[in-house]
Every structure is written in C-alpha cells, then in structure tokens.
Amino acid sequence: MSFRLLLTVAMGCSLMSGPAVGGEMLLVSQSTVPVPIIVDPQAPPRTREVAQELAGYIEKISGKKPLVTLGAPSVMPEGAIWVGVQPEVRALFPQTDFDFKHPEETLIVANDKHVVIAGRDRWDPQRMDVVTKEGTIKGKQQEYGTINAVYSFLQDQLGVRWFWPGDLGEDVMKRERVVLKTPIEQHYHPQIRSRGGVFNFSALGNKGYGKSHEWTKRQRLQLDSLTMEGGHGFGDWWERHHEKHPEIFALQPDGTRGVGPSPRTVKLCMSNPKVWELWLEDVAADLARDPGLTIFNASPNDGWASGHCVCEKCKAWDHPDGEPRLFHWRNVHEEHPALSDRDVTFANILGGLLKQKYPGKDHRVLMMSYGHSRPAPVKARPADNVIISSVANFLGRTGLVDRGSTRGDTFREQFDAWAKLDIQMMWRPNTGSPAGWQQGLPDLSIQQTIRDMKDVAAANCLGIFIDGIWEHWATMGPQYYVMAQLAWNPAVDAEALLADYYQRAFGPAAQPVREYYEGLEKARMAFTANSAEADIFTFPRLYTEDLLRRCQQRLDRAVAAVQADSLHASRVAFVQAGLAYTRLMVETIALMDGYWKKKDPAVAEQVRQNWAAVEKAVAAHPYSINLGPVKPGAPRMLGLHPDHPPAKKKKPRANDLDLN
C-alpha cells in the first residue's frame, strides 16, 4: 500500500475532492525556495506560534525553512501557505465557504498555487491570560480551530507523526521535494469537543503527573472547546459554608446535617433553594475569573452510597420504581431507590436558573452519573443544557458489574440506558488497575478500547474524561496513540492506524514489535476475563516467566531486524525498557508479597537494587515510564518497597471510593 493511500485510510479523512486526476502544489524543492507562510495579522498568540512550528517542520522535512510573515505582503506571492482566514484567501478560493458553522471546525483547501489552513477560533483579546488553581494559562481561547488545523495538515498532508512524546517519538519523512496533490478541500469538526480529559494529567494548565503536554496538543486533544471536570462539585462547601449555612447540608436520619463520612464527601440538601443560590454565586465567581467558561459542575461529592439527604423534599424527587440500592448513614443501612431522578431534577433546576441569569449564553450544568445515580432515571429527563457525565467503567473491559447494583447491571448496560434517552453525555470512566494499569505494567486492551471509544462516539458523547492515564509510553504506547487519534476522529480506520504506527515507528522491526504488544494484550485479556479488579500481588500470575520469555524473544527478533544505532533501533530499545521495567516490577511484587509475611534483609536489599535499576533504565529512556505515580511510596505502589508497607486493608463497603 502506498504511503499516501495508507495515510488516507489511517486518518479517516478524504485528502482530495473533485476529479480523481488533479495537479499538485509545490511547497519546496531542491531548486526552489519554500513558499512563504502568511499568518492572519489578527491571529491570537498561539496561532502565530503554531505558524512558526509549521515552518520548523517543513524545514525538518526538506532542509529549508519558509519565511513566516504577519499579513500579506504588498505584492501577492505566486504561491503561499495561508494560516487563518484572511481577506485575500476569499479571492483565491471564491467557491470555498470560509464561514465556519460548527464549533472547532477546521478547513484545509488547496489549489496548485496556494493552500489555506484555517479553523474556527474564538477568543477574548482582553482576557487571554486566565488564573487557575495551578497557575496562569497564557493565550487561552474558547476555540482553537486554526491550531488544530495546522496539526491536521502536518499529520495528514505532510505525514508527520508523534507516536509518543519527545524527539524519539516524532517521525518525519525527509524529502527534497514537498508537494500537495490538488485540489484539496477538507472540512472537519470534532464531535468530541471535550478531549483534554482523555490525558487529563497533560491537559491545558495541569501541572500534576503529566509529562506529555506538547504531545497532547499535537494530537489535537489539549486545545478543545468544552472544559468538563472529571471530579465532584462541592468538595470545599463544608469548609466554606457549614458555620453560616448548616441548613444546606444533607439531613441525616438522626436529625443532624451533613456530618459524614468526611468534609470532602459531605452531601447537600439539593431541594434547598439556598444551595441553588450559593451555586449560582460560585458560577458568577468562576465567570469573573474566566469569562470563557461554559460548563459548571453540580455533581454530588464522592462517597457515593453514604450521607445522602433524607428530608421529605429531596426524597420526593426519587422515583419509587428506581433500582433499589443500599445506602449508609451513621448506624443506619437501608435500601432506597436510586438517586438518578433526584440528581437530574437538581441539575434541571440549576440549568433553568442559568438560563434566567445568563440569557442567550451557552451555559450548561454537568451532572455525574455515579454510584447510586448510575442507573438511568425512571421519569426525570435532563434538560437541554444539562450534560450527564457517565462514570461507566467499561474501558477495556467487558461484563464488569456495578458493585452497587442490586440488579446485577453492568456498567455498559447502565451507559446504554442513559444513551437511549438521547441526551448530552460525557463518558468519564475510572480505569482501576485490572492488570497493572496504575503500576505502569502493560495492561493492554487495544482492540476492546477501539470498540469502546467508537461505541461511545456512536452514542453522541460530547466529551471523554478518563481517570486516569498515567503516561507509561514504553508499556502502553500503541494503546495511548490509538486512543488519542480516536478522540479526535472516532471514524478513523483503527486497523490502518495501527499498521501505520508499527510500520512507521519500527520499520523492519514492525512485525515482531506488533507481535510483542499483541501477545501481551492477549494474555492480559484472558487474565482479566474473570477478574474485575486484581490485587497487585496477583499480577505475577499474569506476567509469568514463560510470558516474559516469549516477549523477550519477540524483541530479540526486533533488534535483529534493525540496523544498529538507527532510529528504529532506538525505538526498539525504548520498548525494551518497558519490558525491563515490567520484569523488575513483577519480580519486586513477588518478593514483597513474601517480605510482608516474613521480613528478610536479603529480600529488602534485592528490592532496593530493583528500584535502583528501574530508575536507571527510565533515566536512559525519557517518557518510557512516568516515575512520578509509580515511585516507591506513591499511593498505588504501597507495599512494593521495604520502607513503604501496604495500605491497611479496610472492610470493603459500598460507600468506599469506587476505583473500578
């Protein structure tokens, strides 16, 4: 299959329109200077920056860097790359519609002399810098269509790939002559408008565990147009309001208000108008800080089975035919109907108040379907400005039952029931750690995840927020890449995408590297088929010596297939670092399982050596494993180092934090 045909199939878009026989636009050749890049003089700062980035990539490809100018020169050039819609491009392409009608719409249009790369941009020139909890975001826009169009152009037209973060993950096909087959007219607008949460730790402004901010930007995830939180909406309300407004908190069976199980998980009396008033005050404060916000969270706090309000008004919002669920209060444990109708009613009231206070604005309420509100409502229906955030934990898993369900419903069944209501939804799964996802092990479910993401898109979801992707590229690289591409364009041919990934990234080693990852995936899917959430000390049952030996044999074949010191050899070594980490971690898990039963200084010393080897291997291969969340003593690694014993096990209850 030719490069261009493979690229077209993989990226799920039509690169050409019009007659099958066309011309070409020459961008640069050995005997010509590059056509200039002309940037809309009114473009915001980030668009000006991406124009320079585009010039840099053309230089990487051809060895020649185009001149970048702000606004058209006095003499019209014979050919040019136009970034952003400018008056001149309408004359150059009189048949093209440059009036973008869809959020984040992108456009790439070319003839044999000119190409326009543009998109729908929305920004407030007076409020480009926004202060958040983690610092200041500079150059913030409400829509970044032109920037995302540039990255689409680099990927789809010039063949640039970003397989994983860093220089090693970037793939540029060098050539002296760079041309576009014309004519081109490619319009696109992403269905999934909230994409930053797919790799939340590398979302715009997030300074947590993430190390992949440039990568998520180039994958067109980071610069999206809907900011939807993945968490709960009232975590600080007890601290802020319990002294002045104790009446806003959930009435408990003993007559007290909102005292448990902790301030972070305290529930509200949703039917109390004071709650609505205070929530609207928070909305106003958020808009004063960032006028571009459009989504406002009203999701109940965590601890999903405990502390909910028992006042008559709140209970009247529950439907008697709702699924019976087990609720907990202090010294009281009773079955009551699911909270879905109650939560939707609450969200609808807030949505109505938003419309009253901000008429004509596209302001919406985000309500989480989580815990006892996972079942679809019986009667209540979300209003047109309410988005349901479905915590349906079927990512990469089949048949997983919601442990709070008394009917034995799976997460997938619950998601489908909400989707049938024809409402606005976001998919917000918890990943858990079925086979070491949280510990950096190759917890691969590529084919299942492809099906999951395509099905979620078919349900017309507006956003995806995953809790969480920990950015372990050497063990999870192919899956991360496919997930990013599908979030931008769910219609992509995923099989062609994977073929392109392995061939471009690994060249002669494509087949053994693919067999390596697919062998791990097959073993993982079999292991998790009958295990919803494995204990960390059971992972050696999956990652057996026999499996790891076969994995090593495949990578040995990959090493033999590539030229030493080549780019492909470096990438195979990157994957090898992931296998080395897996082997060291599985050995450490097995050693520490026995260590806590009987402490042995020799075992402790071996484990310390293993951790030192992990740090050395990761340092030699940046981005291979993200050590931040998997270092000794990290919450999900407790018990894997002599200095950090396992967390004390509590008796499981339905109101514990749901990590499924």
Side-chain angles (χ1 to χ4, degrees):
M1 183 179 289
S2 70
F3 158 71
R4 187 171 181 81
L5 178 57
L6 178 59
L7 183 146
T8 304
V9 173
M11 299 311 159
C13 57
S14 173
L15 299 188
M16 299 178 60
S17 62
V21 178
E24 64 179 27
M25 176 188 175
L26 179 66
L27 300 184
V28 61
S29 72
Q30 189 176 19
S31 60
T32 63
V33 298
V35 297
I37 297 174
I38 302 174
V39 185
D40 178 6
Q42 306 301 318
R46 287 178 182 265
T47 300
R48 302 183 189 192
E49 292 172 5
V50 82
Q52 294 290 344
E53 191 175 355
L54 171 60
Y57 274 104
I58 292 175
E59 182 180 27
K60 287 182 180 182
I61 294 168
S62 68
K64 295 183 178 182
K65 187 173 184 178
L67 176 68
V68 180
T69 65
L70 196 62
S74 56
V75 178
M76 177 69 72
E78 183 179 353
I81 300 171
W82 301 82
V83 176
V85 176
Q86 305 164 57
E88 294 81 2
V89 305
R90 296 181 185 273
L92 292 170
F93 296 91
Q95 303 302 315
T96 297
D97 184 359
F98 289 99
D99 298 324
F100 301 114
K101 298 175 177 60
H102 304 281
E104 298 192 71
E105 186 174 350
T106 64
L107 169 64
I108 298 170
V109 58
N111 56 31
D112 61 354
K113 296 294 184 183
H114 295 272
V115 58
V116 180
I117 309 170
R120 191 166 108 165
D121 298 321
R122 296 287 187 271
W123 75 95
D124 180 353
Q126 305 303 316
R127 298 297 299 267
M128 297 294 290
D129 297 343
V130 175
V131 178
T132 71
K133 297 176 184 177
E134 299 193 46
T136 300
I137 299 175
K138 291 188 173 295
K140 190 172 188 295
Q141 301 173 209
Q142 287 70 63
E143 294 184 39
Y144 304 84
T146 298
I147 297 173
N148 288 329
V150 169
Y151 290 126
S152 291
F153 179 81
L154 284 167
Q155 174 180 285
D156 299 349
Q157 304 293 338
L158 300 189
V160 178
R161 297 288 186 273
W162 301 281
F163 293 122
W164 57 82
D167 292 341
L168 186 63
E170 179 178 285
D171 197 72
V172 175
M173 299 179 68
K174 297 182 182 297
R175 48 206 187 271
E176 292 180 349
R177 190 170 186 269
V178 182
V179 299
L180 303 178
K181 296 297 182 182
T182 60
I184 300 170
E185 183 156 333
Q186 178 185 329
H187 295 261
Y188 181 73
H189 60 277
Q191 170 195 326
I192 299 172
R193 293 180 55 197
S194 182
R195 303 179 300 278
V198 177
F199 287 78
N200 176 55
F201 295 124
S202 289
L204 186 65
N206 192 318
K207 297 182 179 179
Y209 287 123
K211 307 293 183 185
S212 308
H213 293 79
E214 284 297 308
W215 185 87
T216 59
K217 182 176 66 174
R218 290 167 177 163
Q219 294 293 339
R220 298 151 297 179
L221 304 181
Q222 186 187 95
L223 302 181
D224 57 8
S225 63
L226 288 180
T227 302
M228 296 197 226
E229 299 178 6
H232 307 270
F234 303 96
D236 62 350
W237 271 44
W238 178 260
E239 180 181 351
R240 291 168 54 201
H241 298 304
H242 80 276
E243 292 183 355
K244 188 175 181 180
H245 299 293
E247 75 280 3
I248 71 171
F249 295 99
L251 180 67
Q252 306 296 290
D254 62 4
T256 59
R257 286 273 179 182
V259 292
S262 72
R264 183 181 65 86
T265 60
V266 70
K267 306 303 185 298
L268 300 178
C269 180
M270 292 180 171
S271 63
N272 189 325
K274 191 66 180 180
V275 171
W276 316 340
E277 176 187 331
L278 292 172
W279 184 82
L280 283 175
E281 289 178 5
D282 282 359
V283 169
D286 288 342
L287 287 170
R289 174 179 52 83
D290 183 357
L293 293 176
T294 58
I295 311 295
F296 304 95
N297 198 352
S299 301
N301 286 335
D302 211 347
W304 49 264
S306 55
H308 292 281
C309 190
V310 297
C311 81
E312 292 304 317
K313 289 184 178 179
C314 284
K315 288 170 63 177
W317 290 353
D318 300 331
H319 197 284
D321 295 334
E323 178 185 341
R325 312 273 292 197
L326 182 62
F327 288 73
H328 304 280
W329 299 269
R330 182 174 296 166
N331 300 320
V332 178
H333 313 284
E334 295 177 351
E335 276 195 352
H336 288 271
L339 296 173
S340 310
D341 286 80
R342 179 190 301 201
D343 288 356
V344 168
T345 302
F346 177 57
N348 287 349
I349 289 172
L350 299 181
L353 293 171
L354 274 183
K355 287 185 176 182
Q356 291 177 21
K357 188 170 182 179
Y358 303 99
K361 298 290 186 179
D362 186 26
H363 291 347
R364 295 182 245 187
V365 179
L366 185 67
M367 172 55 69
M368 191 177 280
S369 165
Y370 175 60
H372 285 338
S373 63
R374 278 193 174 113
V378 177
K379 185 176 181 180
R381 295 294 180 264
D384 60 5
N385 66 337
V386 171
I387 300 173
I388 296 299
S389 174
S390 174
V391 186
N393 301 330
F394 56 83
L395 176 64
R397 293 180 280 190
T398 58
L400 186 58
V401 174
D402 171 15
R403 62 189 173 96
S405 175
T406 57
R407 296 173 177 166
D409 290 344
T410 66
F411 290 118
R412 182 55 187 268
E413 289 169 338
Q414 292 169 336
F415 176 88
D416 289 344
W418 279 96
K420 288 177 182 177
L421 302 181
D422 192 23
I423 59 175
Q424 298 183 83
M425 290 180 67
M426 176 175 81
W427 185 39
R428 191 264 182 228
N430 291 315
T431 62
S433 196
W437 179 283
Q438 296 173 345
Q439 291 74 33
L441 299 176
D443 194 345
L444 293 156
S445 58
I446 299 171
Q447 295 302 320
Q448 177 66 45
T449 298
I450 289 169
R451 292 191 293 271
D452 290 341
M453 294 190 70
K454 285 182 174 288
D455 288 348
V456 164
N460 296 316
C461 277
L462 291 172
I464 299 176
F465 186 108
I466 298 172
D467 188 7
I469 291 181
W470 302 93
E471 303 185 10
H472 304 300
W473 293 94
T475 53
M476 297 294 298
Q479 179 151 334
Y480 289 171
Y481 182 75
V482 169
M483 293 173 75
Q485 292 284 318
L486 285 170
W488 172 253
N489 181 6
V492 70
D493 182 334
E495 182 52 41
L497 188 71
L498 284 169
D500 180 74
Y501 175 90
Y502 288 114
Q503 186 60 47
R504 287 284 302 275
F506 301 102
Q511 188 59 33
V513 172
R514 181 165 192 163
E515 290 174 6
Y516 165 78
Y517 280 115
E518 289 181 348
L520 284 165
E521 179 183 8
K522 181 179 179 180
R524 179 266 187 198
M525 294 303 290
F527 176 77
T528 60
N530 298 310
S531 174
E533 196 71 29
D535 182 272
I536 191 171
F537 291 107
T538 68
F539 293 157
R541 300 178 193 171
L542 165 59
Y543 302 107
T544 62
E545 181 57 36
D546 179 62
L547 175 62
L548 298 181
R549 177 183 55 78
R550 285 183 279 120
C551 288
Q552 187 60 63
Q553 289 173 345
R554 289 164 182 146
L555 291 189
D556 289 344
R557 287 170 47 216
V559 171
V562 297
Q563 182 178 343
D565 300 325
S566 66
L567 177 61
H568 292 138
S570 296
R571 290 175 179 160
V572 171
F574 181 85
V575 177
Q576 177 69 62
L579 180 57
Y581 172 85
T582 300
R583 185 177 288 279
L584 286 165
M585 196 51 55
V586 170
E587 179 182 327
T588 296
I589 291 170
L591 288 170
M592 292 308 295
D593 189 23
Y595 179 82
W596 297 117
K597 298 169 185 173
K598 182 180 179 181
K599 294 185 178 181
D600 182 339
V603 169
E605 177 58 27
Q606 181 60 57
V607 168
R608 294 180 194 278
Q609 291 179 17
N610 285 359
W611 277 109
V614 164
E615 293 181 8
K616 183 178 180 180
V618 172
H621 298 278
Y623 301 103
S624 57
I625 299 294
N626 186 2
L627 279 182
V630 297
K631 63 186 178 183
R636 292 160 183 82
M637 306 301 285
L638 293 177
L640 301 185
H641 190 281
D643 297 340
H644 302 283
K648 293 182 179 179
K649 291 185 178 181
K650 299 182 296 183
K651 183 179 179 181
R653 281 180 46 184
N655 64 326
D656 289 335
L657 179 62
D658 184 0
L659 292 178
N660 280 345

